[in-house]
Amino acid sequence: LLQHMLWTYPQQKDALREFIIDNLTPNNDIVDQSKFLLQGLATEALTMVKKTMGDVTGESGAREDDLETIKSIATEVGEIKRLLEQHSNDLERHIALLNDLEYNNIWITSDEAQSVKQNCLPLAVEASTTVSEVLDSATTLILALTPGVIDNDLRSSVIEVLMGGSEDNSTIFSEDELQMSLKEAKRIFKGDELKVWKKARNSIT
Protein backbone atom coordinates (compact mmCIF):
# COMPACT_ATOMS: atom_id res chain seq x y z
CA LEU A 1 0.00 0.00 0.00
CA LEU A 2 2.88 2.41 0.77
CA GLN A 3 4.10 2.30 -2.82
CA HIS A 4 0.81 3.89 -3.90
CA MET A 5 0.66 6.49 -1.12
CA LEU A 6 4.11 7.98 -0.62
CA TRP A 7 5.20 9.23 -4.03
CA THR A 8 4.74 12.88 -4.97
CA TYR A 9 5.46 12.54 -8.68
CA PRO A 10 4.72 9.45 -10.82
CA GLN A 11 8.37 9.01 -11.76
CA GLN A 12 9.19 8.44 -8.08
CA LYS A 13 7.00 5.35 -7.84
CA ASP A 14 9.51 2.74 -9.06
CA ALA A 15 12.33 4.04 -6.88
CA LEU A 16 10.01 4.15 -3.88
CA ARG A 17 8.83 0.60 -4.47
CA GLU A 18 12.43 -0.60 -4.69
CA PHE A 19 13.29 1.19 -1.45
CA ILE A 20 10.32 -0.38 0.35
CA ILE A 21 11.22 -3.89 -0.83
CA ASP A 22 14.88 -3.42 0.13
CA ASN A 23 13.87 -2.41 3.67
CA LEU A 24 10.94 -4.77 4.16
CA THR A 25 12.88 -7.51 5.96
CA PRO A 26 13.61 -6.68 9.64
CA ASN A 27 17.08 -5.24 10.15
CA ASN A 28 19.61 -7.88 11.20
CA ASP A 29 22.13 -5.50 12.82
CA ILE A 30 21.33 -7.00 16.22
CA VAL A 31 23.06 -10.22 15.12
CA ASP A 32 26.46 -8.63 14.52
CA GLN A 33 26.14 -6.65 17.75
CA SER A 34 25.18 -9.80 19.66
CA LYS A 35 28.10 -11.77 18.20
CA PHE A 36 30.51 -9.06 19.33
CA LEU A 37 29.02 -8.87 22.83
CA LEU A 38 28.84 -12.65 23.24
CA GLN A 39 32.47 -13.01 22.24
CA GLY A 40 33.50 -10.53 24.93
CA LEU A 41 31.27 -12.15 27.55
CA ALA A 42 32.55 -15.62 26.64
CA THR A 43 36.13 -14.40 27.05
CA GLU A 44 35.30 -12.96 30.47
CA ALA A 45 33.38 -16.10 31.42
CA LEU A 46 36.31 -18.32 30.45
CA THR A 47 38.67 -16.29 32.62
CA MET A 48 36.35 -16.57 35.62
CA VAL A 49 35.56 -20.26 35.14
CA LYS A 50 39.25 -21.09 34.94
CA LYS A 51 39.80 -19.02 38.08
CA THR A 52 37.13 -20.96 40.01
CA MET A 53 38.11 -24.32 38.47
CA GLY A 54 34.61 -24.59 37.04
CA ASP A 55 32.87 -23.94 40.35
CA VAL A 56 29.81 -21.73 39.84
CA THR A 57 28.06 -22.41 43.16
CA GLY A 58 30.79 -22.00 45.79
CA GLU A 59 30.57 -25.66 46.80
CA SER A 60 34.18 -26.20 45.75
CA GLY A 61 35.51 -23.07 47.40
CA ALA A 62 35.05 -20.37 44.77
CA ARG A 63 35.16 -16.82 46.13
CA GLU A 64 31.85 -14.96 46.44
CA ASP A 65 33.09 -12.06 44.31
CA ASP A 66 33.97 -14.45 41.48
CA LEU A 67 30.60 -16.16 41.74
CA GLU A 68 28.82 -12.82 41.53
CA THR A 69 30.80 -11.96 38.40
CA ILE A 70 29.80 -15.25 36.79
CA LYS A 71 26.15 -14.64 37.68
CA SER A 72 26.38 -11.16 36.20
CA ILE A 73 27.81 -12.53 32.96
CA ALA A 74 25.03 -15.11 32.76
CA THR A 75 22.44 -12.37 33.30
CA GLU A 76 23.89 -10.26 30.48
CA VAL A 77 23.94 -13.25 28.14
CA GLY A 78 20.33 -13.96 29.12
CA GLU A 79 19.32 -10.45 28.08
CA ILE A 80 21.06 -10.88 24.70
CA LYS A 81 19.29 -14.21 24.30
CA ARG A 82 15.94 -12.55 25.03
CA LEU A 83 16.52 -9.90 22.36
CA LEU A 84 17.62 -12.52 19.84
CA GLU A 85 14.52 -14.61 20.56
CA GLN A 86 12.34 -11.55 19.97
CA HIS A 87 14.14 -10.81 16.70
CA SER A 88 13.84 -14.46 15.67
CA ASN A 89 10.09 -14.35 16.32
CA ASP A 90 9.81 -11.17 14.24
CA LEU A 91 11.59 -12.86 11.35
CA GLU A 92 9.42 -15.97 11.59
CA ARG A 93 6.31 -13.79 11.47
CA HIS A 94 7.79 -11.89 8.51
CA ILE A 95 8.46 -15.18 6.68
CA ALA A 96 4.91 -16.38 7.35
CA LEU A 97 3.49 -13.11 6.00
CA LEU A 98 5.62 -13.35 2.87
CA ASN A 99 4.46 -16.91 2.25
CA ASP A 100 0.83 -15.80 2.51
CA LEU A 101 1.27 -12.53 0.66
CA GLU A 102 -0.48 -13.66 -2.50
CA TYR A 103 -3.60 -14.71 -0.63
CA ASN A 104 -4.00 -12.18 2.19
CA ASN A 105 -3.40 -8.82 0.56
CA ILE A 106 -5.92 -6.93 -1.56
CA TRP A 107 -3.63 -3.95 -2.22
CA ILE A 108 -1.21 -5.61 -4.62
CA THR A 109 -1.65 -7.90 -7.59
CA SER A 110 -0.64 -11.56 -7.59
CA ASP A 111 2.36 -10.73 -9.81
CA GLU A 112 3.49 -7.97 -7.43
CA ALA A 113 3.10 -10.29 -4.46
CA GLN A 114 5.15 -12.97 -6.19
CA SER A 115 7.87 -10.45 -7.02
CA VAL A 116 8.07 -9.22 -3.42
CA LYS A 117 8.18 -12.81 -2.18
CA GLN A 118 10.99 -13.76 -4.56
CA ASN A 119 13.04 -10.75 -3.49
CA CYS A 120 12.43 -10.84 0.25
CA LEU A 121 11.93 -14.47 1.24
CA PRO A 122 15.53 -15.67 0.62
CA LEU A 123 16.86 -12.71 2.62
CA ALA A 124 14.45 -13.38 5.46
CA VAL A 125 15.28 -17.10 5.60
CA GLU A 126 19.01 -16.37 5.58
CA ALA A 127 18.59 -13.80 8.36
CA SER A 128 16.52 -16.26 10.39
CA THR A 129 19.19 -18.95 10.05
CA THR A 130 21.90 -16.53 11.17
CA VAL A 131 19.86 -15.45 14.20
CA SER A 132 19.29 -19.09 15.15
CA GLU A 133 23.03 -19.77 15.07
CA VAL A 134 23.84 -16.84 17.36
CA LEU A 135 20.90 -17.77 19.60
CA ASP A 136 22.37 -21.26 19.94
CA SER A 137 25.68 -19.72 21.00
CA ALA A 138 23.97 -17.61 23.66
CA THR A 139 22.05 -20.66 24.91
CA THR A 140 25.23 -22.73 25.08
CA LEU A 141 27.06 -20.04 27.04
CA ILE A 142 24.21 -19.80 29.54
CA LEU A 143 24.21 -23.58 29.99
CA ALA A 144 27.97 -23.53 30.48
CA LEU A 145 27.49 -21.14 33.42
CA THR A 146 24.44 -22.90 34.90
CA PRO A 147 24.93 -25.06 38.03
CA GLY A 148 24.18 -28.75 37.62
CA VAL A 149 24.04 -28.78 33.81
CA ILE A 150 27.59 -29.95 33.08
CA ASP A 151 30.53 -31.10 35.17
CA ASN A 152 32.77 -28.37 36.56
CA ASP A 153 35.83 -29.69 34.75
CA LEU A 154 34.06 -29.35 31.37
CA ARG A 155 32.92 -25.73 31.68
CA SER A 156 36.06 -24.11 30.34
CA SER A 157 36.23 -26.59 27.43
CA VAL A 158 32.66 -25.79 26.42
CA ILE A 159 33.33 -22.06 26.46
CA GLU A 160 36.56 -22.51 24.49
CA VAL A 161 34.66 -24.47 21.82
CA LEU A 162 32.06 -21.72 21.71
CA MET A 163 34.70 -19.01 21.32
CA GLY A 164 36.34 -20.95 18.53
CA GLY A 165 33.14 -20.75 16.51
CA SER A 166 32.68 -24.50 16.47
CA GLU A 167 29.17 -25.82 16.29
CA ASP A 168 30.15 -29.01 18.15
CA ASN A 169 28.16 -28.99 21.37
CA SER A 170 28.79 -32.66 22.09
CA THR A 171 31.36 -31.80 24.76
CA ILE A 172 28.52 -30.57 26.99
CA PHE A 173 27.03 -34.05 27.28
CA SER A 174 28.43 -37.41 28.31
CA GLU A 175 28.70 -40.27 25.82
CA ASP A 176 25.76 -42.03 27.48
CA GLU A 177 23.61 -38.89 27.24
CA LEU A 178 24.40 -38.52 23.55
CA GLN A 179 23.41 -42.14 22.90
CA MET A 180 20.00 -41.95 24.59
CA SER A 181 16.77 -41.72 22.62
CA LEU A 182 14.80 -38.51 22.15
CA LYS A 183 12.12 -39.87 24.46
CA GLU A 184 14.69 -40.46 27.21
CA ALA A 185 16.27 -37.05 26.62
CA LYS A 186 12.90 -35.32 26.99
CA ARG A 187 12.58 -36.79 30.48
CA ILE A 188 15.97 -35.35 31.50
CA PHE A 189 16.40 -32.12 29.54
CA LYS A 190 13.93 -29.27 29.20
CA GLY A 191 13.58 -26.18 27.02
CA ASP A 192 16.83 -24.71 25.72
CA GLU A 193 18.90 -27.54 27.17
CA LEU A 194 16.92 -30.05 25.11
CA LYS A 195 17.51 -27.97 21.96
CA VAL A 196 21.27 -27.99 22.56
CA TRP A 197 21.15 -31.76 23.24
CA LYS A 198 19.40 -32.31 19.89
CA LYS A 199 22.03 -30.25 18.10
CA ALA A 200 24.85 -32.15 19.80
CA ARG A 201 23.15 -35.46 19.07
CA ASN A 202 22.73 -34.61 15.39
CA SER A 203 26.38 -33.58 15.11
CA ILE A 204 27.55 -37.12 15.88
CA THR A 205 24.99 -39.07 13.84
Side-chain angles (χ1 to χ4, degrees):
L1 183 58
L2 290 175
Q3 65 176 324
H4 302 297
M5 294 176 58
L6 297 181
W7 53 268
T8 303
Y9 303 103
Q11 60 267 32
Q12 296 174 329
K13 185 176 179 180
D14 289 342
L16 178 60
R17 180 178 183 277
E18 184 177 341
F19 174 82
I20 292 172
I21 291 176
D22 287 344
N23 290 275
L24 196 59
T25 300
N27 189 293
N28 223 29
D29 287 348
I30 187 176
V31 175
D32 291 333
Q33 296 168 358
S34 297
K35 282 182 179 179
F36 177 78
L37 292 172
L38 285 172
Q39 190 70 17
L41 289 168
T43 300
E44 188 178 358
L46 181 61
T47 299
M48 298 309 302
V49 166
K50 285 184 174 180
K51 186 176 180 180
T52 65
M53 301 297 289
D55 182 13
V56 295
T57 63
E59 294 178 358
S60 298
R63 295 172 57 231
E64 188 63 33
D65 287 350
D66 294 336
L67 295 174
E68 286 300 318
T69 299
I70 291 173
K71 289 179 183 178
S72 177
I73 294 170
T75 299
E76 291 185 57
V77 176
E79 180 61 18
I80 293 173
K81 179 174 176 289
R82 184 189 67 79
L83 293 173
L84 287 170
E85 286 174 335
Q86 180 178 325
H87 187 56
S88 178
N89 290 337
D90 289 343
L91 283 168
E92 290 301 320
R93 179 177 178 273
H94 179 62
I95 290 171
L97 289 172
L98 287 173
N99 282 322
D100 292 338
L101 193 60
E102 296 171 73
Y103 313 104
N104 295 329
N105 200 310
I106 64 174
W107 299 106
I108 56 178
T109 66
S110 178
D111 287 343
E112 286 177 321
Q114 188 63 30
S115 175
V116 171
K117 184 176 178 180
Q118 288 177 348
N119 279 281
C120 295
L121 190 57
L123 296 175
V125 171
E126 182 181 359
S128 181
T129 300
T130 303
V131 172
S132 294
E133 291 172 354
V134 181
L135 189 52
D136 283 347
S137 295
T139 299
T140 301
L141 184 53
I142 289 175
L143 292 176
L145 300 176
T146 300
V149 175
I150 58 175
D151 294 337
N152 287 348
D153 58 356
L154 290 178
R155 293 188 195 280
S156 60
S157 297
V158 171
I159 298 173
E160 285 174 340
V161 169
L162 181 63
M163 291 174 62
S166 170
E167 295 188 3
D168 179 13
N169 294 303
S170 61
T171 54
I172 301 177
F173 304 97
S174 69
E175 184 176 348
D176 288 341
E177 288 172 334
L178 290 171
Q179 295 301 322
M180 66 176 59
S181 68
L182 177 59
K183 184 176 180 180
E184 292 173 319
K186 285 181 176 179
R187 290 201 299 264
I188 299 174
F189 308 119
K190 304 297 180 184
D192 290 333
E193 191 176 1
L194 180 62
K195 293 179 183 178
V196 176
W197 176 87
K198 288 179 181 178
K199 188 174 182 181
R201 181 74 170 82
N202 290 336
S203 72
I204 64 170
T205 56

